[in-house]
Amino acid sequence: MLPASFHRPFRYLARRHSPLLSKPPVMVREDGERWDKDDIGAFGERLAAHYLWAHGCGVLYRNYRAPKGGEVDVVCRDGDMLVFAEVKTRTSDRYGRPMDAVDAEKESLIIRGAMDWLRLLDRPEIFFRFDVVEVLLPEGRIPNVTWVKEAFGLPKSYRY
């Protein structure tokens, strides 16, 4: 494995010059049809994972689905912290911030997915948190990504 200092210049260049982060996406499929909500969401998750990597995170997994329900869009390491990130992508903020769509029901799904991930690791003594990555894709403009760290936590009644 390469030392972290080896990756620093590449991550800096990715933040400054990556086509994903620095150019407006062409939101048309190969068949000429405009992207639907699934295409927009998939692109947002790809862009968010790239953004997290460019900002120093090691992306471990994308789109983790727990067998008994629960989901996590991006699982990554931010230093010594394990991060379970939810990605919310919108084409405008006309109806509020993308993060506003992360309600109690969505948090519950993310927490179930995270707990299943931790069970796979045999419940390690590890610090973890829940983040939200907001992706705005305004038509013809550069994507705007906002990383909200510690967006929510485990409910007090929840035992890990």
Side-chain angles (χ1 to χ4, degrees):
M1 185 164 192
L2 297 170
S5 60
F6 179 81
H7 293 285
R8 252 182 234 118
F10 297 108
R11 290 176 190 221
Y12 171 78
L13 290 171
R15 281 196 304 269
R16 304 295 275 168
H17 304 291
S18 166
L20 280 178
L21 299 172
S22 63
K23 292 183 180 176
V26 178
M27 294 194 277
V28 177
R29 287 187 275 193
E30 292 174 5
D31 63 4
E33 293 291 319
R34 291 189 54 76
W35 284 357
D36 61 16
K37 67 179 185 69
D38 293 333
D39 296 325
I40 291 168
F43 180 79
E45 288 177 5
R46 190 169 134 227
L47 188 136
H50 185 74
Y51 179 90
L52 292 169
W53 177 83
H55 285 82
C57 291
V59 176
L60 304 174
Y61 205 88
R62 287 180 43 204
N63 294 315
Y64 177 73
R65 303 292 181 247
K68 295 182 181 178
E71 58 184 47
V72 179
D73 290 337
V74 180
V75 180
C76 61
R77 295 290 300 238
D78 184 16
D80 291 337
M81 183 79 61
L82 184 62
V83 176
F84 299 101
E86 173 67 9
V87 179
K88 285 295 173 191
T89 307
R90 300 287 183 270
T91 55
S92 81
D93 58 359
R94 183 178 325 157
Y95 300 108
R97 292 181 64 179
M99 185 174 152
D100 295 341
V102 182
D103 57 9
E105 186 177 329
K106 188 64 176 174
E107 286 180 13
S108 176
L109 271 174
I110 298 163
I111 289 169
R112 282 201 320 257
M115 293 301 108
D116 190 70
W117 178 277
L118 292 170
R119 265 191 291 284
L120 290 174
L121 300 177
D122 201 23
R123 294 185 183 263
E125 293 296 319
I126 191 167
F127 293 109
F128 62 92
R129 70 173 190 248
F130 299 99
D131 294 356
V132 173
V133 180
E134 297 179 312
V135 179
L136 279 175
L137 299 173
E139 188 74 38
R141 297 198 351 236
I142 295 171
N144 182 12
V145 181
T146 305
W147 181 12
V148 181
K149 296 180 182 181
E150 296 182 31
F152 62 92
L154 287 175
K156 292 190 187 304
S157 62
Y158 211 94
R159 297 182 71 145
Y160 164 67

